[in-house]
Amino acid sequence: MSFAYSSIQTREQAGVLFATLDAGPLNLIGVDLVRDLVSLLDTLYTDPGDVRVVVIDSASPEFFAAHVDLTAIPQYTAEAAKAGGPGDASLGMLLFKLAHVPVITIAKVRGRARGGGNELALACDMIFAARENAIFGQFESGTGALPGAGGMQHLTRRLGRTRAIEAITGADDFDADLAECYGWINRALPDAELDGFVERLAKRIAGFPPEGVKTAKRAINDLTLPHPASVRSDSATFLGLVALPESRERLEYLADRGLQTPGELERDLGKAVAEFPG
């Protein structure tokens, strides 16, 4: 058993693996991070040791994970394929595997979780967020695409039809309080209380007999998670839409203004996608 990665810091304590995303200031979901997520999941499925709960957070105070690396979609897709083979070569199916991993997973969110970063959080069993600074969003509609890695599936189940349509087609940012109100996340907590709360809950669950916890998660997953075919369909649709001329034009416009670099545009991406001239 080994939990050593280049873009994920790890520490293990009392049955809890704390996994901190550390892939640069934006934590873009790109080749390195996907490669490390594939390796992490493989270990959790095959040789988790004493790990019963995984807490995923970020080394960046401003970005849990900004979104996918839009310049490296074929490359990170090839890495994702290693989790399930060429037939499941998509970030969506990698995150589907995360949702089914036989341990409890908790996303602890500070800063922005948008696009694929939000979909990473949604693939976890629970999401807790800092009230003062956490931001959630699926901005893809603002570029002519749609969420392709599980966001469509999870948000519709969590928010209901009308609120999912608002969140996905509106492509705007949701602060932690509104996300909690909508059912997007479990709870919004004061930043000063977030670490202690999540650690206590994680260690509490890790201390219970593991078979009961695994069986409960599996039964709930059977009732609530999407079918693989739906995830595959969303992924294929996303890849088709981002290749369209209108989407490429909007993405290039955003790139010229600072997309994928630390700065004002990434901080206010929900606002920026609605400012395309035309």
Side-chain angles (χ1 to χ4, degrees):
M1 178 189 65
S2 175
F3 295 107
Y5 312 102
S6 64
S7 62
I8 304 174
Q9 302 174 24
T10 60
R11 66 181 176 90
E12 188 179 343
Q13 185 179 32
V16 180
L17 179 69
F18 296 90
T20 300
L21 308 180
D22 190 11
L26 300 179
N27 270 335
L28 292 175
I29 299 178
V31 174
D32 291 342
L33 187 52
V34 169
R35 181 186 298 122
D36 287 343
L37 287 171
V38 168
S39 180
L40 171 61
L41 288 176
D42 182 64
T43 302
L44 292 173
Y45 271 94
T46 61
D47 186 20
D50 295 327
V51 172
R52 301 286 180 261
V53 179
V54 177
V55 175
I56 299 176
D57 65 357
S58 170
S60 168
E62 287 197 284
F63 294 91
F64 174 78
H67 46 75
V68 299
D69 184 347
L70 293 159
T71 70
I73 293 174
Q75 293 89 342
Y76 76 65
T77 298
E79 290 297 328
K82 297 175 183 178
D88 283 334
S90 71
L91 179 63
M93 287 308 296
L94 174 61
L95 297 182
F96 181 86
K97 188 172 182 179
L98 171 60
H100 286 269
V101 73
V103 298
I104 296 297
T105 55
I106 301 173
K108 183 175 68 175
V109 178
R110 289 183 170 94
R112 293 143 183 85
R114 297 193 184 101
N118 178 59
E119 289 168 312
L120 171 60
L122 287 170
C124 294
D125 300 323
M126 292 173 269
I127 305 173
F128 300 97
R131 174 167 289 124
E132 295 91 336
N133 55 54
I135 297 291
F136 300 87
Q138 295 289 165
F139 68 94
E140 292 89 345
S141 288
T143 66
L146 54 67
M152 297 278 290
Q153 304 297 324
H154 289 297
L155 288 178
T156 301
R157 286 165 170 78
R158 292 186 184 208
L159 276 57
R161 175 180 179 273
T162 58
R163 284 179 169 175
I165 290 174
E166 175 193 351
I168 291 168
T169 67
D172 207 348
D173 290 338
F174 283 64
D175 64 29
D177 283 326
L178 185 56
E180 180 187 39
C181 177
Y182 270 38
W184 195 314
I185 67 174
N186 289 67
R187 302 192 201 186
L189 296 159
D191 185 88
E193 299 176 15
L194 181 62
D195 292 336
F197 175 87
V198 170
E199 184 166 337
R200 285 190 298 273
L201 176 62
K203 289 181 177 178
R204 174 184 173 90
I205 295 170
F208 294 153
E211 286 308 313
V213 174
K214 289 180 186 178
T215 302
K217 172 174 174 172
R218 187 163 54 246
I220 293 167
N221 282 354
D222 288 344
L223 291 167
T224 58
L225 288 182
H227 191 276
S230 299
V231 179
R232 294 183 183 113
S233 176
D234 287 350
S235 177
T237 303
F238 167 79
L239 292 173
L241 289 172
V242 295
L244 293 176
E246 185 177 15
S247 293
R248 300 312 308 168
E249 184 182 10
R250 286 178 175 263
L251 288 169
E252 288 167 8
Y253 173 75
L254 292 170
D256 289 342
R257 296 179 60 201
L259 187 68
Q260 303 209 162
T261 60
E264 183 178 351
L265 185 129
E266 282 286 359
R267 285 193 293 270
D268 296 322
L269 186 55
K271 177 183 176 183
V273 294
E275 296 177 340
F276 183 76

